[in-house]
């Protein structure tokens, strides 16, 4: 199964990326995902279910530890296929 996760971390700071946003970016960019798009107002990543779910776990734990007060995310099944 293939999944797409879309997420944002808060609080926002338009002048400088907060530590929790940098940590979230690091997590998804270093994960074994097929596609990652990081932007100032939202982020997406795609890959096999195991890789996405592992990245989401790390994203939640590490972003909260780095000061995030809210993390919004949505996970969608985008296709079937080998892991």
């Amino acid at each position: 199964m293939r999944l797409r996760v879309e997420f944002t971390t808060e609080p926002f700071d338009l002048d400088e990326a907060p530590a929790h946003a940098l940590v979230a970016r690091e997590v998804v960019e270093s994960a074994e995902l097929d596609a990652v798009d990081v932007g100032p107002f939202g982020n997406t990543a795609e890959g096999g279910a195991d890789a996405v779910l592992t990245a989401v776990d790390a994203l939640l734990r590490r972003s909260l530890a780095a000061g995030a007060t809210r993390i919004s995310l949505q996970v969608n099944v985008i296709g079937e296929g080998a892991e």
Side-chain angles (χ1 to χ4, degrees):
M1 176 184 324
R2 289 186 50 77
L3 301 176
R4 175 184 299 127
V5 60
E6 301 174 46
F7 66 91
T8 58
T9 62
E10 295 179 37
F12 293 113
D13 184 340
L14 295 177
D15 295 326
E16 184 176 337
H20 60 80
L22 297 175
V23 166
R25 178 183 302 167
E26 177 187 313
V27 167
V28 295
E29 288 180 341
S30 66
E32 295 181 18
L33 301 171
D34 301 332
V36 174
D37 183 21
V38 177
F41 300 108
N43 311 283
T44 61
E46 296 179 11
D50 287 341
V52 171
L53 295 173
T54 298
V56 166
D57 178 66
L59 170 77
L60 292 171
R61 292 175 187 277
R62 293 185 55 201
S63 296
L64 290 168
T69 58
R70 178 179 174 150
I71 302 169
S72 301
L73 65 91
Q74 179 175 326
V75 178
N76 294 299
V77 175
I78 58 172
E80 298 298 322
E83 286 293 298

